[in-house]
Amino acid sequence: MVDIQTLIHSFCEENHLPVDISQEMPAGYETAFGTYDVAQRTLFINVPVLTHAPDYAALFYVYHELRHAVQYHCPHRFPVEVRESLPYVILFNGTCFRLVGHEWRECVLDGDSGWFTDAYLSLPYERDANDYAYRMVQSTLGHSPELTELYASWLPQRQWPYEEQKKLFRLIDEKTGG
């Protein structure tokens, strides 16, 4: 097993990331591998879940969340689509968030879970984080069918064109006052 704590600390130092690390998962994320919250500047890691996962999966999710930290703290490194999409979160149940300053504003949109799932999985910052995690785990552990299957599970059934995503962002803006 790769030492996750050492990996995270080394990655944050190498990338000059001013983030805190917490093993106390936020409400609603108790079963998640981890999450990054830019408003709190905190990388939350779920050590019990990571410890029981296969190495390729644990590394995939850690690299995925670390990539989000880089996206938020070093947006100049990323294409415009990633930068423009960062303030938006779309959940599978239609709950959406928009980051305004250091505050997440919430709204709920109508639609079915498949539509929201594809919207979430199509977000440029999510695609980038998944692509990055896949590459990093491959370079660390080598190729495996299990890793490829995990990566494929995070691809949308239908990739949303970016212009369609921007319309959704405008709707979220309207619903969150702004």
Side-chain angles (χ1 to χ4, degrees):
M1 174 69 177
V2 174
D3 182 353
I4 298 292
Q5 299 282 2
T6 301
L7 173 92
I8 291 169
H9 287 288
S10 296
F11 186 95
C12 289
E13 280 183 23
E14 289 169 16
N15 288 279
H16 310 287
L17 296 176
V19 301
D20 293 323
I21 300 164
S22 174
Q23 294 182 28
E24 304 274 330
M25 295 300 290
Y29 290 85
E30 294 84 2
T31 60
F33 287 89
T35 189
Y36 179 71
D37 187 337
V38 66
Q40 297 183 46
R41 296 172 69 138
T42 301
L43 174 67
F44 296 93
I45 58 167
N46 196 336
V47 173
V49 172
L50 289 168
T51 301
H52 290 95
D55 285 354
Y56 71 89
L59 283 175
F60 183 90
Y61 292 111
V62 168
Y63 277 121
H64 177 98
E65 296 306 330
L66 287 169
R67 184 64 163 198
H68 285 323
V70 174
Q71 290 167 339
Y72 281 109
H73 293 284
C74 307
H76 61 277
R77 295 185 190 175
F78 297 92
V80 67
E81 291 86 4
V82 171
R83 293 191 310 264
E84 289 177 352
S85 65
L86 280 171
Y88 300 94
V89 173
I90 302 163
L91 302 183
F92 307 121
N93 65 0
T95 303
C96 299
F97 298 89
R98 180 172 64 109
L99 184 63
V100 178
H102 294 289
E103 173 192 353
W104 287 104
R105 294 187 183 172
E106 180 179 347
C107 69
V108 178
L109 303 177
D110 294 323
D112 71 39
S113 63
W115 190 82
F116 289 115
T117 298
D118 283 341
Y120 164 75
L121 294 174
S122 295
L123 287 166
Y125 67 83
E126 286 297 335
R127 292 295 308 268
D128 175 75
N130 288 327
D131 292 347
Y132 178 79
Y134 182 65
R135 287 191 313 271
M136 292 304 293
V137 177
Q138 273 193 318
S139 71
T140 304
L141 301 177
H143 174 76
S144 74
E146 297 83 6
L147 173 61
T148 301
E149 185 177 323
L150 175 63
Y151 172 70
S153 74
W154 291 105
L155 297 175
Q157 296 267 333
R158 183 186 78 81
Q159 174 66 42
W160 281 45
Y162 190 62
E163 288 306 314
E164 199 173 328
Q165 292 176 14
K166 287 171 61 170
K167 289 177 186 174
L168 181 56
F169 299 160
R170 286 193 294 274
L171 179 59
I172 294 169
D173 289 346
E174 290 171 17
K175 296 274 190 177
T176 58

